[in-house]
Amino acid sequence: MNLIVAATQNWGIGYQNDLLFRIPEDQQFFKTMTEHKVIVVGRRTLDSFPKGQPLKNRKNIVFTRQNLTGYADNLVVVHNLNELETEIKGIDTDSIFVSGGEEIYRLLLGRCSTAYATMVYKEMKADKFFPDLDKREEWIKTEESEEKLWEGLRFRYLIYKKRI
């Protein structure tokens, strides 16, 4: 599995159930990477999507403790790792993207082999964080884009690989 995340330099990813920033180029990057693939998200991340609806042109798997009766029909709901494994069985793992939030990232990080991170070089108030891959021995940064700028925010695309 892969994961995809946008974070600040201190690995902040959210505040009060919302993203810390919306950079159009990064949103397009997310769409390009995940469209026609599988995303695995938590219920709060689902709620943060436009109108709380699953993202189009993707298989949306929601990992939650709750019963999501009444949510959109085109969701796949799983409640534990066994159910997730059953749901993704037979799917090319390169087509699966763990996409948040904090609890889901922490739960599934060890099962991922590649991490696509958009790093914004600014500290922002956050109450949700992604694990700092630079401090984890099992992860190594393998690629880094040129620095980009959008409305005063400096950012880069980074790729991390899990060491074998």
Side-chain angles (χ1 to χ4, degrees):
M1 282 193 290
N2 304 293
L3 63 84
I4 189 164
V5 64
T8 60
Q9 65 191 30
N10 64 340
W11 297 90
I13 59 172
Y15 182 68
Q16 296 182 343
N17 203 38
D18 200 3
L19 297 173
L20 298 178
F21 46 82
R22 284 182 171 71
I23 300 172
E25 182 179 332
D26 178 53
Q27 290 177 303
Q28 183 60 47
F29 175 74
F30 178 87
K31 181 179 180 182
T32 300
M33 294 297 292
T34 64
E35 200 165 37
H36 306 294
K37 297 189 177 144
V38 176
I39 60 171
V40 180
V41 299
R43 196 248 334 135
R44 282 179 281 205
T45 298
L46 171 66
D47 287 345
S48 74
F49 290 164
K51 298 181 183 176
Q53 295 297 305
L55 297 180
K56 294 178 183 173
N57 301 320
R58 295 161 188 87
K59 180 174 185 174
N60 290 254
I61 299 176
V62 180
F63 199 118
T64 182
R65 295 177 199 93
Q66 298 181 350
N67 179 347
L68 295 187
T69 304
Y71 271 74
D73 293 335
N74 55 342
L75 285 180
V76 175
V77 178
V78 297
H79 300 96
N80 57 54
L81 289 171
N82 288 335
E83 288 179 13
L84 177 62
E85 289 297 326
T86 298
E87 192 57 45
I88 63 174
K89 186 176 183 176
I91 298 174
D92 178 8
T93 56
D94 287 339
S95 296
I96 303 169
F97 285 82
V98 177
S99 305
E102 179 184 54
E103 285 184 56
I104 303 305
Y105 283 134
R106 290 185 188 280
L107 180 65
L108 299 177
L109 179 63
R111 295 171 179 258
C112 294
S113 59
T114 304
Y116 297 90
T118 301
M119 182 61 61
V120 173
Y121 296 101
K122 181 176 181 178
E123 288 198 28
M124 298 177 178
K125 187 172 186 175
D127 57 11
K128 300 294 180 194
F129 294 86
F130 187 86
D132 184 340
L133 296 182
D134 294 315
K135 292 182 178 176
R136 293 182 169 250
E137 284 184 16
E138 69 270 25
W139 289 93
I140 184 168
K141 187 183 337 172
T142 59
E143 292 183 45
E144 186 172 325
S145 76
E146 292 181 18
E147 188 172 285
K148 299 172 177 281
L149 187 64
W150 181 78
E151 293 192 359
L153 292 177
R154 295 180 308 112
F155 67 99
R156 292 181 193 269
Y157 299 110
L158 309 174
I159 299 176
Y160 291 83
K161 297 279 187 181
K162 187 184 252 180
R163 297 177 199 253
I164 297 175

